[in-house]
Amino acid sequence: MRLAEIFIAREAWQRLTGLKLPPHTAYRLLKYVKQVTAEYDVIEQQRGTLLREAAGVKEGEDASVTPNTPAYTQFVRDFGAVLETDSDLKPFELTVPALLDLLGKEQSNVLSVQDLGQLEPFFKTTDKD
């Protein structure tokens, strides 16, 4: 899995963690989400560093770069390289179909197609998927 997949899935994880699951699964998922959040925090820290470098400001100062400038182009290129990096995060022990079975048919336990697409890389796959 690439860091880009972790970076874009934050809201989908927030929706999933708000759904009701069996207690043991919920606890295991909680521990996994802590790992995902730690990876996200590292990505966000790197993004901030690259943004400050592109803007030419020091740590702790507000930074922004104007689109269509050389600084912006450099930031996009450097952050894109970060996002293309592979993560060491291992998939969660369930497959997506198994997770969906655990969520059941309760109307409040609903994920969008977009959520599932963003979450899918985090779960084990089978030949049947």
Side-chain angles (χ1 to χ4, degrees), residues 32-63:
Y32 186 76
V33 169
K34 287 180 180 182
Q35 293 174 38
V36 172
T37 300
E39 287 278 296
Y40 180 86
D41 291 346
V42 169
I43 298 165
E44 190 60 34
Q45 181 181 30
Q46 187 65 32
R47 187 187 70 79
T49 299
L50 292 171
L51 185 59
R52 284 189 298 281
E53 285 175 7
V57 299
K58 296 177 184 172
E59 180 78 30
E61 294 180 29
D62 289 339

Side-chain angles (χ1 to χ4, degrees), residues 22 54 57 68 72 85 88 104 109 112 125:
V57 299
N68 301 319
Y72 182 79
T85 304
D88 294 334
N109 274 358
S112 71
T125 59

Side-chain angles (χ1 to χ4, degrees), residues 16-36:
L16 175 59
T17 57
L19 301 179
K20 295 186 186 294
L21 287 165
H24 290 284
T25 303
Y27 180 69
R28 290 191 321 264
L29 194 62
L30 168 70
K31 293 177 81 63
Y32 186 76
V33 169
K34 287 180 180 182
Q35 293 174 38
V36 172

Side-chain angles (χ1 to χ4, degrees), residues 1-3 39 82-88:
M1 152 181 359
R2 292 174 298 123
L3 294 180
E39 287 278 296
V82 168
L83 293 177
E84 288 300 316
T85 304
D86 287 331
S87 171
D88 294 334

